[in-house]
Amino acid sequence: MEKLTKPIVFESKSIQSKITLIFLHGLGDTGHGWSQEWLHFHMNHPYIKIVLPTASKMPVTLNNGVVMTAWHDIVSLTSIDNEDFKGIQQSVETINISQSKKMLFCYQYDAEQG
């Protein structure tokens, strides 16, 4: 699994806010691909910190091994018996670690500059 890229972060405008929303995109997508939608949400809810990470690129079994962004390998849509639970756990740990470090490796999205 490739290392995660820097997520987009919309910081809370409130010093007292303790709400953080972490949005995980779908297969083959990116956090950046959702930034405009979440920017509009953030404008109406400026007290919420929003984090849009992008998954690592990896071969996805369901898509004949094509490399794309994915939080874990997907083997089947009909059964979870052979799913990549180790990959799911790795993604969870990566997101937990990044949050515990207070997203020191992220860049700030400036809505005025785009």
Side-chain angles (χ1 to χ4, degrees):
M1 195 181 330
E2 180 182 291
K3 187 177 178 182
L4 286 175
T5 60
K6 294 179 181 182
I8 290 177
V9 177
F10 298 103
E11 288 292 344
S12 169
K13 305 292 184 209
S14 170
I15 296 172
Q16 298 175 356
S17 177
K18 296 191 184 332
I19 302 169
T20 299
L21 182 148
I22 303 171
F23 175 77
L24 304 181
H25 61 77
L27 182 64
D29 209 344
T30 66
H32 191 269
W34 285 88
S35 63
Q36 290 303 307
E37 286 80 3
W38 284 107
L39 173 60
H40 293 296
F41 178 87
H42 189 254
M43 288 177 171
N44 293 316
H45 306 281
Y47 51 89
I48 299 175
K49 176 181 180 177
I50 301 171
V51 181
L52 308 175
T54 293
S56 300
K57 289 184 179 180
M58 65 175 61
V60 177
T61 303
L62 183 70
N63 290 344
N64 298 315
V66 172
V67 175
M68 60 184 60
T69 55
W71 296 106
H72 62 92
D73 188 22
I74 301 172
V75 178
S76 169
L77 294 179
T78 58
S79 172
I80 64 166
D81 294 339
N82 296 317
E83 287 302 321
D84 178 22
F85 292 108
K86 183 177 177 185
I88 295 170
Q89 187 59 38
Q90 285 176 327
S91 288
V92 169
E93 289 170 8
T94 298
I95 292 164
N96 285 339
I97 289 169
S98 67
Q99 285 302 295
S100 69
K101 292 182 179 178
K102 302 202 184 283
M103 304 304 288
L104 293 176
F105 62 92
C106 69
Y107 65 86
Q108 183 68 37
Y109 185 85
D110 186 341
E112 293 176 7
Q113 294 183 357

